[in-house]
Amino acid sequence: MPNYKDIEYTLKRSRRKTSSIYVERDGSISVLVPQQLSEKEIEAMIEQKRYQIYSHLAQWEDANTKRVYREFVNGEGFYYLGRNYKLEIVTNQEVPLKLKNGCFRLRKKNLPRAKEAFVEFYKEKGRKRILDRVEYFRKLLDVEPNEIKIMDLQNRWGSWTPKGNVNFHWKTMMAPLTIIDYIIAHELTHLIHPNHSDAFWNELDKIMPDYVQRKAWLKLNGAGMDL
């Protein structure tokens, strides 16, 4: 992993014409640059953005004070659509995990693979709900996404490809509906503007005037939505 002075980062080169620096959800720094950019030019960009990088890292540290490490035991709380549901371990059940009577019910024999059961639950629920909202925002933005996937995206809530494929992290289903909408609208707007330019935020503002508040909520509470 390259570093410049006291800043360690992951370097990714692409065909894009602009450069970007991101503080990922795990606190690591990603630098995205055009193929032809030299090492000296990259270091000059990092030096120029040093204040912003440390500001974003400070925000990340504040947000991660909310990180929760959950155990798969009776009474532990797990999020779904912004609400916290307690876990109940049950002996007999036709499926590994389901939400019933205000509780997550986990079949006892699935305890060794409890995380996999939760991930599959979020993916299954996300396939319909996210696809429905993608259709809604697709019409508002007048875009034509190609393939939509619910998957593990490591440190990102969503991603997109130049081919028009759009991906969403299964953890998205832990968030309130208003925040899920923000994540979906954000990624679909990238099909119009592939970066976070002023034009991108202006486009998003047209269909979601309160996106700033939703974005701030996600930054503050996102670390708490994990397994």
Side-chain angles (χ1 to χ4, degrees):
M1 182 177 290
N3 68 286
Y4 172 67
K5 294 183 178 179
D6 55 338
I7 298 176
E8 190 174 78
Y9 60 93
T10 298
L11 180 64
K12 299 177 184 178
R13 294 182 181 272
S14 71
R15 295 178 181 178
R16 60 187 292 164
K17 296 180 180 179
T18 58
S19 300
S20 299
I21 299 177
Y22 299 100
V23 176
E24 305 285 5
R25 283 178 55 214
D26 63 354
S28 63
I29 299 169
S30 293
V31 178
L32 281 67
V33 299
Q35 293 281 6
Q36 70 276 11
L37 212 65
S38 69
E39 185 176 336
K40 285 187 177 181
E41 288 173 318
I42 293 170
E43 290 180 350
M45 178 188 68
I46 293 173
E47 184 64 42
Q48 184 181 15
K49 300 288 186 180
R50 177 177 292 275
Y51 175 78
Q52 290 93 322
I53 292 171
Y54 277 99
S55 294
H56 290 155
L57 282 172
Q59 292 173 13
W60 178 86
E61 289 176 0
D62 288 343
N64 276 269
T65 59
K66 290 182 173 286
R67 185 174 294 278
V68 176
Y69 297 93
R70 295 180 170 86
E71 297 182 70
F72 298 101
V73 296
N74 280 311
E76 182 67 275
F78 292 85
Y79 283 108
Y80 176 59
L81 299 182
R83 290 186 60 188
N84 197 25
Y85 296 91
K86 290 186 177 180
L87 180 64
E88 181 182 353
I89 310 298
V90 298
T91 303
N92 296 310
Q93 188 167 268
E94 68 277 11
V95 294
L97 178 72
K98 66 179 176 181
L99 190 58
K100 184 178 180 180
N101 299 330
C103 289
F104 270 117
R105 294 167 60 92
L106 176 67
R107 192 165 57 190
K108 188 174 182 179
K109 74 175 186 179
N110 293 99
L111 264 174
R113 302 190 67 182
K115 180 174 181 178
E116 287 87 341
F118 269 91
V119 170
E120 187 51 42
F121 174 89
Y122 291 126
K123 283 183 177 180
E124 180 185 347
K125 298 298 183 183
R127 286 183 188 106
K128 183 179 188 309
R129 188 175 292 274
I130 288 177
L131 284 175
D132 285 347
R133 299 307 285 167
V134 165
E135 180 63 16
Y136 173 78
F137 286 108
R138 178 195 71 77
K139 292 177 181 177
L140 288 182
L141 289 162
D142 192 25
V143 294
E144 291 294 337
N146 185 19
E147 190 174 8
I148 308 296
K149 289 184 179 180
I150 315 299
M151 58 193 297
D152 193 320
L153 292 173
Q154 297 183 334
N155 303 312
R156 296 183 182 275
W157 292 106
S159 67
W160 63 279
T161 72
K163 293 183 179 180
N165 298 330
V166 184
N167 308 309
F168 299 99
H169 202 305
W170 53 261
K171 292 180 187 177
T172 299
M173 294 307 295
M174 296 183 179
L177 291 171
T178 56
I179 306 305
I180 294 175
D181 276 356
Y182 165 72
I183 295 169
I184 292 170
H186 183 117
E187 295 307 324
L188 291 181
T189 302
H190 277 309
L191 299 182
I192 303 173
H193 302 287
N195 49 38
H196 290 114
S197 62
D198 288 344
F200 169 87
W201 296 112
N202 289 337
E203 193 72 42
L204 183 56
D205 183 72
K206 293 176 186 177
I207 62 166
M208 190 172 284
D210 64 342
Y211 81 84
V212 172
Q213 290 87 346
R214 302 191 200 203
K215 179 184 177 185
W217 189 98
L218 189 59
K219 279 191 175 182
L220 183 62
N221 298 283
M225 293 186 289
D226 206 345
L227 293 177

